[in-house]
Amino acid sequence: MSKITTELLLERAVPKSTRLRKIKTLNLSKLQITTEDLEPQLFSHLRHLQELDLSDNLLERLPDNLSLPNLRILNCNNNHLEDVTTLQQFPQLEELTYTNNVYLTPSDDYKVIFLLQNLRQLNGKDITKLANHVRVVNSRELTNRVSAHWGKNFRNQMSKTLSPEQLKPIRKKFIKSAQAHVAYGPSSLSDYTRWRVKMIAEEFLTSLINEEHKPATEAAESMEEPEEEEEEEEEKEEEGEEEKEEIKKSTTDADSKVTAKGQVTPSKRKGARSKGRAKSKRSHSQSSSKEEASPSPKKLSRLQDERSTEATRASRPQAKESQTPPDSDGAHRNGGRLPKGQSHKKVTQQKKEHKEEEEEEDACSTPVKDLECEETITLDPVHFLQCHSKANNRDDFKTQLWACVFEPPLDCGTRKDPVVSSSRTAATCGGDSVCLVDCETGIVLKKYKVTGEEFYTVTWTTLTMVTSDGRKKKHNVLAAAGRRGIVKLIHVTADYCYGEIKAHKKPIATACFSPTCETHLFTASYDKKICAWDIGIPDCDYNFKERQLMVLETISTPLRIALVPSCPDRFLVAGCEQGCFAWDIRLDDKPQKNRAFEVEFQFPDDEGNDTSSHRVDGLAFLNEDIVVTKSSKRASINLWSWSRSFKQGKGGRRTVQAVILAELEWSSTDLPYLTLSTCPTEEYVFCGDEKGSIWMYDLSNHLSALCATKEDCPTERIGPSQILKWPELKANGELLTDVLVNNVVTDPTFTYLVALTDVNIAAIWKKV
């Protein structure tokens, strides 16, 4: 017999009622209700129900036909929900919460947002901005990719009219292929992407079939359009050749002359002509599309591509002209390099006005000037977030942000798309909170707060957990630590901090997980110890047992740690307050728990003498052998060889000279703790400075020469390839000045760049 009866519904109504049809608010929480207990026939009498609480029950899903047409608020917290698609039966739903349903993922959030067009709040957060991204931007991008996949792989199969029976295998094959190959967004949304791609593919085929069966007159009209488009393409090719000659000419003359303000150059005239042509072509395309009854997604995609191509070509001459020429002393105003100890000269009023006009024309993007070549990389400043404020105070510009790590993909599969193989979700920490940020939309997905804590470090791992029904499933777990010396373990999917490890009695400066053993965590503390932990794997009730594996003893506070990529189970390197050290971390060969360092590395000081008494506050590996460290010498960052340096320590020698391969020119500041990072896949090094600038070093053209560097050769000095200037931001009507960039991090594909500052701002740029 069902637990839900008419008497129970009348009793649990708020306020109590005598008739089912009069109930507007109903509380059915904490009744151990299962899916079978919700009888649609009984619920069909609740025609005026607006708010329903089903929290703290045993629901695995909701029945398909509950018939609650006026339901606006639904609470399903603390259940066992596995599917959210049945929620589409409540089209008027405005507020929905389903936290602590362990089987639900971010993909389910996207499904709900797409299905419920009136939804305003999800799990207590406003989703207006995210909803627009899901319903418009994401859908448009997936539609374009499905259309492109059809054109590339299946278009020829529709060359003739097919019967419905002949279309069935093509339809099935196309939908399956699209789900397997069409990807967009982070891997954590792969389930949503496959679900949405299936819908789009079915709609696309329906539209395509309807297009094929149009009357002959409409078909004849549509056949005329490709000829016109071919003529347009020929005009574009001719125009492109003219532009190439124009750009080449302007590049040749760029060093010998500077165009006066207001003078009409050939580039400007060419740009005007291009704009005129583009405008006329857009008008023609728009009029053509209006004449068609219902253009297919493929045709719409092609028209959009043509328009974007024309707009790009029309803007090229202007973009070339807007590049700021160097001043007379050779310094570039946009992220340029100055002679050591020299500042920028004052510019004239005319140059100031010219610069203001350039900033107005390009307010949404930040072109970064390459200091060693003429290439230009554009990074769009897309978001500036103040998400770590104490007590959510908008005037908090004192909280310092320290660490940022991008979420690892759960399953990349065989896909080659870099968007799929990397994540756009980043975890940031500072003050008393840890935030998960979607770098594409700028939305703070989750926020974890511990009153009285100050977080200094965050790190990710992927654990294979076993559910209550015995299934194995991978989940990303976030470890965060700071001033209290306690490691917080957070199951991000479940939005649940399931445990803590009292790792140290003093603050934890940094932490990292082993890339080869998912449960091994290293924590470095101000108690001058680096501890290795096995955090274990939590069971279905989040019971776990941690154990300490070893303690690495240091002579000073460890600031940065890294496992050697070529042998992550054997050696750990740490940058400390008084030097750089390496430890043997093998568990089998060395049974002792407390271990001293194996090797101490010496670096040249300002006078050129080797020293080990220096602060190393930046450390990262660029590849399996090259280490990047900062702070041994002012105004420089060292690149050195791990293997060649460590090799000198054989035979009991504990102090060795680091084999320096090159020095990277950096700011002359002596401020500590402005750390660096690397992007190994793109061979980049990043470091912020005391003026809010971000120094970027593209070393892809240097690595082969660096690896062949001999020890007795003079050290090569490499300047930054780009310097990204901090934009002018106003707070309460005043400019934010004296911004320190504590950390700079990119995702593995260098799509997003995140800068963390000491003024409580996380800045996000996107590479164009």
Side-chain angles (χ1 to χ4, degrees):
M1 182 177 178
S2 174
K3 296 179 182 179
I4 308 297
T5 62
T6 301
E7 291 74 16
L8 178 65
L9 294 180
L10 296 174
E11 178 70 21
R12 303 281 291 197
V14 182
K16 294 181 181 180
S17 179
T18 57
R19 293 186 180 182
L20 293 180
R21 61 185 179 86
K22 290 185 177 181
I23 298 177
K24 292 186 177 181
T25 302
L26 183 61
N27 184 356
L28 297 179
S29 63
K30 301 179 181 179
L31 294 176
Q32 301 295 304
I33 298 173
T34 63
T35 302
E36 291 73 20
D37 294 324
L38 301 179
E39 296 183 359
Q41 185 175 0
L42 180 59
F43 274 77
S44 64
H45 298 288
L46 301 171
R47 305 295 295 176
H48 298 285
L49 185 65
Q50 296 183 6
E51 184 174 352
L52 176 61
D53 187 350
L54 293 172
S55 61
D56 299 295
N57 285 300
L58 304 175
L59 297 172
E60 295 181 354
R61 60 187 299 275
L62 295 180
D64 293 324
N65 50 351
L66 284 181
S67 301
L68 302 174
N70 293 303
L71 188 64
R72 284 172 169 77
I73 301 175
L74 177 61
N75 184 351
C76 294
N77 291 344
N78 298 310
N79 278 280
H80 299 159
L81 293 179
E82 297 182 2
D83 180 35
V84 296
T85 55
T86 55
L87 293 172
Q88 64 182 323
Q89 64 182 301
F90 310 127
Q92 302 302 320
L93 206 60
E94 298 177 357
E95 298 180 19
L96 171 65
T97 55
Y98 49 60
T99 58
N100 295 333
N101 283 270
V102 68
Y103 301 124
L104 297 185
T105 68
S107 288
D108 295 299
D109 295 347
Y110 272 53
K111 290 180 182 179
V112 164
I113 293 172
F114 177 78
L115 292 172
L116 301 175
Q117 298 293 315
N118 290 323
L119 195 65
R120 295 183 292 103
Q121 287 192 8
L122 179 61
N123 295 328
K125 298 178 181 178
D126 185 275
I127 61 165
T128 305
K129 189 175 180 181
L130 178 60
N132 180 71
H133 174 79
V134 173
R135 298 165 187 164
V136 180
V137 179
N138 185 282
S139 295
R140 181 176 64 238
E141 184 64 29
L142 288 177
T143 299
N144 291 340
R145 296 190 181 204
V146 169
S147 175
H149 184 69
W150 169 268
K152 182 179 179 181
N153 301 286
F154 292 87
R155 187 176 184 179
N156 295 334
Q157 300 183 33
M158 292 286 287
S159 57
K160 59 181 180 179
T161 303
L162 302 176
S163 65
E165 290 298 325
Q166 292 173 320
L167 282 173
K168 281 184 179 180
I170 297 177
R171 176 189 292 269
K172 184 177 180 180
K173 185 177 180 181
F174 170 62
I175 293 176
K176 185 177 180 180
S177 176
Q179 286 184 292
H181 295 92
V182 174
Y184 176 66
S187 59
S188 58
L189 298 176
S190 58
D191 181 59
Y192 167 79
T193 301
R194 288 192 293 269
W195 175 80
R196 188 74 181 96
V197 164
K198 181 180 180 181
M199 296 174 60
I200 293 173
E202 291 174 344
E203 295 170 358
F204 174 81
L205 285 176
T206 301
S207 174
L208 200 63
I209 293 171
N210 293 338
E211 187 77 15
E212 291 291 333
H213 290 82
K214 281 185 177 182
T217 55
E218 292 184 10
E221 292 177 2
S222 63
M223 288 295 291
E224 294 175 2
E225 184 177 344
E227 296 179 0
E228 297 173 351
E229 291 175 352
E230 289 177 1
E231 294 176 1
E232 292 177 7
E233 288 295 328
E234 292 176 359
E235 292 178 4
K236 291 176 190 174
E237 291 178 1
E238 295 174 0
E239 181 181 341
E241 294 297 327
E242 294 175 4
E243 286 181 358
K244 288 179 181 177
E245 295 177 3
E246 197 74 41
I247 293 173
K248 184 176 181 181
K249 181 179 179 181
S250 61
T251 304
T252 305
D253 298 336
D255 296 331
S256 60
K257 63 179 180 180
V258 178
T259 305
K261 183 180 178 182
Q263 182 179 350
V264 180
T265 65
S267 294
K268 284 187 178 180
R269 288 196 295 270
K270 181 65 180 176
R273 289 198 300 270
S274 299
K275 278 188 175 181
R277 288 188 182 182
K279 184 176 181 181
S280 64
K281 290 177 183 178
R282 282 196 298 270
S283 301
H284 176 74
S285 299
Q286 290 170 355
S287 62
S288 299
S289 62
K290 287 180 181 179
E291 292 173 1
E292 296 179 6
S294 57
S296 66
K298 174 67 177 175
K299 192 170 291 185
L300 285 174
S301 175
R302 184 176 67 247
L303 291 175
Q304 291 171 356
D305 291 342
E306 288 177 358
R307 293 168 190 166
S308 62
T309 303
E310 291 165 2
T312 302
R313 289 178 175 173
S315 63
R316 280 179 184 169
Q318 289 187 341
K320 181 69 183 177
E321 183 192 354
S322 66
Q323 292 179 2
T324 307
D327 293 335
S328 58
D329 61 351
H332 293 273
R333 290 200 298 273
N334 184 18
R337 181 174 56 193
L338 293 171
K340 191 172 181 180
Q342 186 176 347
S343 61
H344 288 295
K345 295 182 178 181
K346 293 183 178 180
V347 295
T348 62
Q349 183 65 28
Q350 183 179 4
K351 289 184 178 180
K352 288 182 179 179
E353 294 174 356
H354 184 57
K355 183 177 180 180
E356 291 173 358
E357 290 178 0
E358 289 178 346
E359 292 175 349
E360 291 176 358
E361 291 174 0
D362 199 12
C364 296
S365 63
T366 306
V368 184
K369 187 72 175 180
D370 192 316
L371 302 185
E372 296 187 350
C373 61
E374 292 300 324
E375 296 179 0
T376 299
I377 295 177
T378 302
L379 293 171
D380 279 349
V382 289
H383 307 292
F384 292 86
L385 307 178
Q386 191 182 2
C387 52
H388 291 270
S389 301
K390 293 182 179 179
N392 294 325
N393 183 7
R394 298 181 63 180
D395 295 326
D396 178 10
F397 295 100
K398 295 182 179 180
T399 297
Q400 297 200 54
L401 311 185
W402 294 109
C404 173
V405 187
F406 277 84
E407 182 178 11
L410 285 173
D411 183 14
C412 298
T414 58
R415 297 172 181 165
K416 303 297 183 182
D417 192 339
V419 176
V420 178
S421 61
S422 63
S423 172
R424 69 185 196 187
T425 303
T428 61
C429 73
D432 59 3
S433 59
V434 175
C435 294
L436 262 65
V437 179
D438 185 334
C439 292
E440 178 68 24
T441 63
I443 294 175
V444 180
L445 303 175
K446 300 177 187 293
K447 184 174 182 178
Y448 307 96
K449 185 176 180 179
V450 179
T451 304
E453 178 65 281
E454 184 173 2
F455 288 104
Y456 297 145
T457 182
V458 286
T459 182
W460 290 95
T461 189
T462 303
L463 300 181
T464 303
M465 301 182 183
V466 180
T467 61
S468 57
D469 55 1
R471 293 183 298 171
K472 291 184 177 181
K473 193 172 184 180
K474 290 185 176 181
H475 291 282
N476 283 333
V477 169
L478 188 66
R483 186 174 61 85
R484 290 182 171 181
I486 298 174
V487 178
K488 296 286 186 178
L489 300 175
I490 303 169
H491 184 188
V492 175
T493 302
D495 197 13
Y496 181 55
C497 180
Y498 69 86
E500 62 180 33
I501 300 174
K502 296 180 179 179
H504 299 269
K505 294 182 179 180
K506 290 189 176 182
I508 296 175
T510 186
C512 72
F513 276 101
S514 167
T516 56
C517 186
E518 60 185 9
T519 62
H520 286 188
L521 172 67
F522 293 85
T523 57
S525 171
Y526 282 78
D527 60 8
K528 301 179 182 179
K529 295 178 181 179
I530 301 173
C531 293
W533 303 87
D534 187 340
I535 66 170
I537 296 180
D539 59 20
C540 58
D541 295 321
Y542 290 106
N543 298 312
F544 74 101
K545 186 176 182 180
E546 80 282 359
R547 63 189 181 97
Q548 191 181 76
L549 301 176
M550 70 182 78
V551 178
L552 310 179
E553 298 175 346
T554 68
I555 62 174
S556 61
T557 302
L559 303 175
R560 295 289 177 264
I561 59 176
L563 296 167
V564 179
S566 59
C567 45
D569 293 330
R570 295 188 60 188
F571 296 106
L572 177 143
V573 183
C576 304
E577 283 283 359
Q578 296 181 14
C580 185
F581 305 86
W583 286 263
D584 189 333
I585 59 172
R586 286 175 289 185
L587 293 173
D588 298 333
D589 298 341
K590 287 185 171 288
Q592 67 268 28
K593 192 172 183 179
N594 287 46
R595 304 181 186 182
F597 64 87
E598 290 283 319
V599 174
E600 179 181 10
F601 300 100
Q602 290 186 332
F603 298 87
D605 57 16
D606 290 332
E607 285 74 30
N609 302 319
D610 289 333
T611 179
S612 55
S613 299
H614 57 267
R615 178 190 296 115
V616 177
D617 57 4
L619 183 148
F621 276 83
L622 183 60
N623 55 29
E624 290 193 349
D625 183 59
I626 296 180
V627 193
V628 188
T629 55
K630 183 181 76 67
S631 193
S632 66
K633 186 177 180 181
R634 289 187 62 181
S636 69
I637 296 171
N638 287 320
L639 270 66
W640 52 283
S641 170
W642 154 259
S643 59
R644 292 159 66 179
S645 302
F646 185 77
K647 186 178 180 181
Q648 302 176 33
K650 293 183 178 180
R653 185 181 174 189
R654 299 189 67 188
T655 302
V656 300
Q657 294 180 353
V659 179
I660 307 295
L661 305 178
E663 289 184 359
L664 304 181
E665 297 176 1
W666 186 65
S667 171
S668 59
T669 181
D670 56 359
L671 287 173
Y673 314 128
L674 305 179
T675 192
L676 57 80
S677 69
T678 60
C679 181
T681 55
E682 299 297 322
E683 298 174 335
Y684 261 85
V685 176
F686 305 91
C687 192
D689 68 9
E690 79 285 3
K691 297 179 180 178
S693 299
I694 299 170
W695 299 56
M696 304 193 293
Y697 307 84
D698 182 1
L699 301 177
S700 56
N701 296 326
H702 297 274
L703 289 186
S704 57
L706 292 178
C707 294
T709 301
K710 297 182 179 180
E711 295 185 21
D712 55 350
C713 292
T715 302
E716 179 184 2
R717 289 184 64 84
I718 302 174
S721 51
Q722 298 101 8
I723 298 180
L724 182 61
K725 291 292 186 179
W726 184 260
E728 293 184 354
L729 298 180
K730 289 186 177 181
N732 298 326
E734 297 181 359
L735 286 176
L736 281 176
T737 57
D738 301 327
V739 177
L740 303 182
V741 178
N742 292 328
N743 203 346
V744 183
V745 178
T746 67
D747 67 302
T749 59
F750 192 10
T751 303
Y752 303 99
L753 182 147
V754 181
L756 304 180
T757 70
D758 70 333
V759 292
N760 191 27
I761 291 179
I764 302 174
W765 282 266
K766 184 177 181 181
K767 187 177 179 182
V768 179

